[in-house]
Amino acid sequence: MKVQANGVTNEVYVRGAGQPVLMLHGNPDSHVMWLPLIAKLRGNYRLIVPDLPGFGASKTRADHAEVTLQGMADWVGHLLDAMQVDRPVDLLLHDFGGVYGLAFATTYPERVRRLVITNTVFQQDYRWHFWGRVWRKPRLGELAMSLMGIPGIGKLMFSASLRAGGPGLSKQQIAEAYRHFTAAVRQQVLRLYRATDPANFAGWETRMLAVTAEHPTLVLWGQRDPFIAARYAERFGAAKVERFSDVGHWVVVEAADRVAPLIDAHLLAGSATVAA
């Protein structure tokens, strides 16, 4: 469905009823990333699964400020307001979706109930991976993205990066991700990486830890992630951290069958019942 929020049109996949659960993907994905996991969840949820601004079928504008941490937090809030979500949400976060979601939780902790964090960063001592460093450089980033848009060589570069980052991803999943990696998405990736300096997390990181100390938080971490070191899994103040030694950056995709029961147990603890 199309949802107008913060001046842009957002594509949002919605399923079910009950406790609202907001699922935020990262780069280079869209809401499609979450579908294998959604098929395995058994709780009674209202799943709200948007394409982030500038990704998938969601639009953005170059003059929009959602690439700042405050802008990301406000975009999440505007989206939930537009969908008339008037109760605290559960957050399922991955990659840049983690930055959006943790900025929101840090700014509006009263609007959050529980968190599930997977392979993301919100720490000021993080250092960008190879492609992150390339994309942050003017001209070099544009050149890299232009190459990725060339049929043949672009798909080869893209597929090699995803296979290295997510050894459990299928050929079909990689092909689907590349299909959504349009020129507009590639431009948004450059904007995000250039705006998101780890130094920006100073202050925010401390406030984030105060939020996770007060809200039940589960971390699910793929240990074979070449983009974010495994030591960051312990840096979110979560009461529980589950590590998966055989999967990479996309733990919720690569190990959907194993993480789904853990997510259900975390979200349903002390409240709802699991659907038959």
Side-chain angles (χ1 to χ4, degrees):
M1 62 183 294
K2 302 292 185 183
V3 177
Q4 294 292 325
N6 205 23
V8 294
T9 302
N10 302 273
E11 181 69 23
V12 185
Y13 174 86
V14 181
R15 174 177 170 178
Q19 168 62 28
V21 178
L22 181 65
M23 308 172 78
L24 299 177
H25 68 81
N27 171 50
D29 300 299
S30 68
H31 75 275
V32 173
M33 184 203 83
W34 294 105
L35 298 183
L37 174 65
I38 288 172
K40 298 180 181 299
L41 294 175
R42 295 294 178 261
N44 295 313
Y45 313 119
R46 180 190 179 195
L47 300 176
I48 302 168
V49 196
D51 291 344
L52 290 183
F55 288 82
S58 288
K59 306 300 181 184
T60 191
R61 296 202 309 263
D63 61 339
H64 266 214
E66 78 271 351
V67 292
T68 67
L69 291 175
Q70 188 60 56
M72 292 177 184
D74 291 341
W75 175 80
V76 175
H78 288 308
L79 182 73
L80 294 175
D81 290 343
M83 300 196 67
Q84 299 181 326
V85 177
D86 57 2
R87 57 194 283 195
V89 300
D90 293 331
L91 297 176
L92 266 63
L93 308 175
H94 178 254
D95 191 80
F96 256 109
V99 181
Y100 275 83
L102 291 172
F104 171 74
T106 299
T107 306
Y108 306 103
E110 72 282 357
R111 301 192 68 176
V112 175
R113 193 183 73 111
R114 290 173 174 260
L115 300 96
V116 179
I117 298 170
T118 76
N119 294 70
T120 188
V121 293
F122 210 73
Q123 290 81 21
Q124 59 185 311
D125 63 347
Y126 176 70
R127 296 296 177 264
W128 283 115
H129 53 82
F130 170 77
W131 282 115
R133 295 194 299 273
V134 168
W135 293 331
R136 284 174 56 81
K137 293 184 181 298
R139 294 189 294 278
L140 183 59
E142 278 77 7
L143 175 61
M145 287 302 186
S146 295
L147 290 174
M148 283 199 177
I150 299 174
I153 186 174
K155 187 174 183 179
L156 184 63
M157 291 170 58
F158 182 91
S159 299
S161 179
L162 263 66
R163 280 197 300 271
L169 296 176
S170 69
K171 290 182 179 179
Q172 181 179 355
Q173 288 165 336
I174 293 174
E176 181 71 10
Y178 184 70
R179 187 174 71 84
H180 285 92
F181 202 53
T182 63
V185 172
R186 295 194 297 272
Q187 183 60 38
Q188 180 69 354
V189 170
L190 294 181
R191 292 182 67 220
L192 276 177
Y193 275 83
R194 290 169 181 177
T196 312
D197 190 309
N200 296 349
F201 295 127
W204 287 79
E205 180 182 356
T206 301
R207 297 195 300 274
M208 177 269 292
L209 292 172
V211 172
T212 57
E214 297 179 356
H215 296 72
T217 301
L218 168 68
V219 168
L220 305 171
W221 204 268
Q223 295 287 92
R224 295 179 63 184
D225 185 344
F227 309 125
I228 309 173
R231 66 179 181 274
Y232 284 99
E234 305 290 344
R235 298 279 300 276
F236 296 94
K240 188 173 185 180
V241 177
E242 294 281 356
R243 297 177 179 273
F244 298 81
S245 61
D246 58 335
V247 300
H249 183 66
W250 287 270
V251 62
V252 292
V253 181
E254 299 175 69
D257 56 338
R258 285 179 280 165
V259 302
L262 298 174
I263 293 171
D264 277 324
H266 180 68
L267 299 186
L268 297 172
S271 57
T273 57
V274 176

